[in-house]
Amino acid sequence: MIRRSSPLFAPIRLTALLLVLVIAATGCNRGTKGDNPDEGQPVETLYQKGHSLMEGGNWSGAEANFRRLVAQYPYGPYTEQAMIETAYAQYKAGKNDDTVSSVDRFIRTYPTHRNVAYLYYLRGLANSNRDTVFLRRVWSLDASRRDLSTPRQAYADFNIVIDRYPNSRYAADARKRMNDLRDVFAQHELDNALYYLRREAWVSAAGRANYLLETYPQSAYQYDAVAVLGEAYTHVGNKTLADDARRVLELNAPDHPWLRNDWPNYPWMIRKLNPFAGEKSATTGQRNATMNRK
């Protein structure tokens, strides 16, 4: 015998089905709205939200917010400023590669923008720290002992600021940072010269020291370079040049440890054999920097 459904339950099933459909539709609408709560917001509102996030130190949130602004409003003064703020938020978050990319994109799009001097300055800051933030924090990495391609790019960025925009508010600090980078480059050359001293390659050591003095005059490591010359010329038997180096140090850096036969210092034999080991030159260089800048 086949039982037929009671007519009493048909309206109930229909009502239940409609209720399920309504709930599902409502849930979908809520999900869509939650995916992008800023959809359709005025550009001024979006910009102010990103600015507030930056004031609170939420760099990632500010970056995401400014990106949404640019996606919704591709043109206009708020968009241009949002692109600049995006690069700054990336820099503050330690995303130096992203910062450089954002700055390059902005300069290509707006090469004559009123804030382009700031963009070159910001790119210099990012290139100064590029690929080194983590290593410096964890191992106190000496910047002079790593690849100098990005610091050299930073130097070029800062040079653009002081060359093209000498009256900008960023020129003075850019010049100071260039001087600091010159000291990094000079220390790199000094490390090479000291490496040659360890290997008793006296001519090569003197060549590096002379290059340092010619290329980076008045650097923090100029008297260390003179000491390298004195050490190298002493070992090759050139007493005249060795005495010249000694006189320069006696007149300009009388406290230099080389004059006491106490520099360079190799505390362990394993350090002397390690081609990547550094010398104790940083303290001397810092003293030279103080003397030069008084």
Side-chain angles (χ1 to χ4, degrees):
M1 178 185 225
I2 299 176
R3 290 187 178 181
R4 297 182 182 275
S5 299
S6 172
L8 180 63
F9 293 101
I12 297 176
R13 286 199 299 270
L14 180 59
T15 302
L17 178 60
L18 290 175
L19 182 61
V20 170
L21 291 175
V22 169
I23 293 174
T26 304
C28 290
N29 289 335
R30 287 181 178 175
T32 302
K33 185 177 180 180
D35 289 342
N36 190 359
D38 296 322
E39 184 72 33
Q41 291 288 330
V43 64
E44 297 89 347
T45 302
L46 289 176
Y47 179 80
Q48 186 56 48
K49 179 180 178 181
H51 189 67
S52 298
L53 289 169
M54 291 183 69
E55 288 182 336
N58 187 351
W59 308 114
S60 297
E63 177 189 356
N65 185 84
F66 287 130
R67 286 186 178 278
R68 285 194 295 269
L69 186 156
V70 173
Q72 294 184 46
Y73 301 96
Y75 305 103
Y78 280 101
T79 300
E80 296 170 11
Q81 190 62 32
M83 293 174 69
I84 296 174
E85 301 289 3
T86 297
Y88 179 72
Q90 290 169 335
Y91 169 71
K92 293 296 289 184
K95 301 177 181 179
N96 295 299
D97 290 345
D98 292 341
T99 304
V100 172
S101 297
S102 295
V103 169
D104 288 344
R105 189 179 308 111
F106 186 93
I107 292 176
R108 284 195 304 268
T109 307
Y110 306 102
T112 60
H113 194 274
R114 65 185 183 280
N115 290 324
V116 72
Y118 169 73
L119 270 300
Y120 281 115
Y121 174 76
L122 182 60
R123 191 172 72 179
L125 294 178
N127 275 320
S128 296
N129 297 318
R130 203 171 180 182
D131 303 325
T132 66
V133 173
F134 176 77
L135 293 176
R136 278 182 170 179
R137 287 176 179 172
V138 177
W139 292 300
S140 300
L141 180 68
D142 186 344
S144 71
R145 304 186 197 285
R146 61 182 172 87
D147 178 35
L148 297 181
S149 58
T150 51
R152 292 190 190 282
Q153 180 59 55
Y155 187 91
D157 293 332
F158 293 134
N159 189 57
I160 290 175
V161 175
I162 66 172
D163 183 49
R164 299 184 190 176
Y165 314 98
N167 298 322
S168 72
R169 60 185 296 187
Y170 312 104
D173 191 65
R175 186 174 288 105
K176 177 184 179 301
R177 291 178 183 277
M178 287 178 68
N179 289 334
D180 293 340
L181 286 169
R182 287 179 73 257
D183 284 345
V184 171
F185 304 150
Q187 187 181 2
H188 178 75
E189 296 301 330
L190 177 66
D191 289 337
N192 289 329
L194 292 172
Y195 165 72
Y196 286 125
L197 283 186
R198 286 203 309 275
R199 301 301 295 266
E200 299 182 357
W202 314 119
V203 175
S204 296
R208 282 290 186 172
N210 277 316
Y211 178 81
L212 187 162
L213 292 170
E214 293 170 1
T215 309
Y216 308 109
Q218 305 301 316
S219 77
Y221 299 93
Q222 61 176 338
Y223 297 126
D224 288 338
V226 174
V228 169
L229 291 177
E231 184 77 5
Y233 290 141
T234 297
H235 284 282
V236 299
N238 193 327
K239 187 175 184 303
T240 299
L241 293 180
D243 289 344
D244 287 343
R246 180 174 293 275
R247 278 193 296 271
V248 169
L249 288 179
E250 288 174 343
L251 287 173
N252 298 281
D255 294 329
H256 197 285
W258 184 77
L259 295 173
R260 305 189 301 270
N261 297 320
D262 194 26
W263 189 92
N265 184 13
Y266 308 112
W268 302 310
M269 181 58 66
I270 189 65
R271 187 184 187 92
K272 187 174 181 179
L273 297 176
N274 180 6
F276 301 104
E279 313 306 331
K280 291 189 175 181
S281 59
T283 302
T284 306
Q286 287 297 322
R287 184 175 66 250
N288 291 340
T290 303
M291 294 173 61
N292 291 339
R293 294 167 186 168
K294 280 183 178 179

